[in-house]
Amino acid sequence: QVQLVESGGGLVQTGGSLRLSCEASGRTGGNYAMGWFRRAPGKERVIVAAISWNGGATFYADSLKGRFTISRSNAKKAAYLQMNNLKPEDTAVYYCAFSPRLMATIEGDFASWGQGTQVTVSS
């Protein structure tokens, strides 16, 4: 069982930045992918970004490329999401996710989820 705890969400104005953190604990194993998803009000949860087990590969939703950056620290069992130039449409609950695969981008490939952290971007 893997537990994930997100932090770093909050209220920010349009154009601002936030950095989300996710710390994993439990039986992560040696090599695993991490991802960030979000669920906007009234919408389904969608992938934001993902990173491979060694950080060598990353994936971003097309609409977010250039504004969001995913990274990880295997020593800290942590993943991060740097979000710049935030827009009101980025308002959502952001979820960290763990996959036992070396890389994953499909929601079904992620086995554990955090509780979510709210990001609200005011106009």
Side-chain angles (χ1 to χ4, degrees), residues 9-13 18 86-88 90-92 94 118-122:
L11 175 64
V12 64
Q13 291 185 333
L18 282 174
L86 284 162
K87 305 175 181 181
D90 295 318
T91 294
Y94 284 72
Q118 177 71 46
V119 171
T120 302
V121 185
S122 63

Side-chain angles (χ1 to χ4, degrees), residues 37-114:
F37 290 72
R38 70 183 184 185
R39 188 195 306 271
K43 296 186 178 181
E44 295 184 350
R45 186 164 62 186
V46 296
I47 190 166
V48 171
I51 189 165
S52 65
W53 68 283
N54 63 352
T58 56
F59 170 87
Y60 295 94
D62 285 343
S63 63
L64 302 175
K65 290 179 180 177
R67 295 195 297 123
F68 288 18
T69 303
I70 189 171
S71 60
R72 66 185 295 161
S73 168
N74 286 346
K76 297 181 179 180
K77 288 191 173 182
Y80 309 97
L81 185 68
Q82 177 68 41
M83 306 185 293
N84 297 328
N85 191 22
L86 284 162
K87 305 175 181 181
E89 52 264 41
D90 295 318
T91 294
V93 178
Y94 284 72
Y95 298 90
C96 176
F98 161 92
S99 172
R101 296 175 178 265
L102 298 182
M103 180 57 171
T105 60
I106 300 173
E107 185 167 333
D109 287 340
F110 289 86
S112 298
W113 298 82

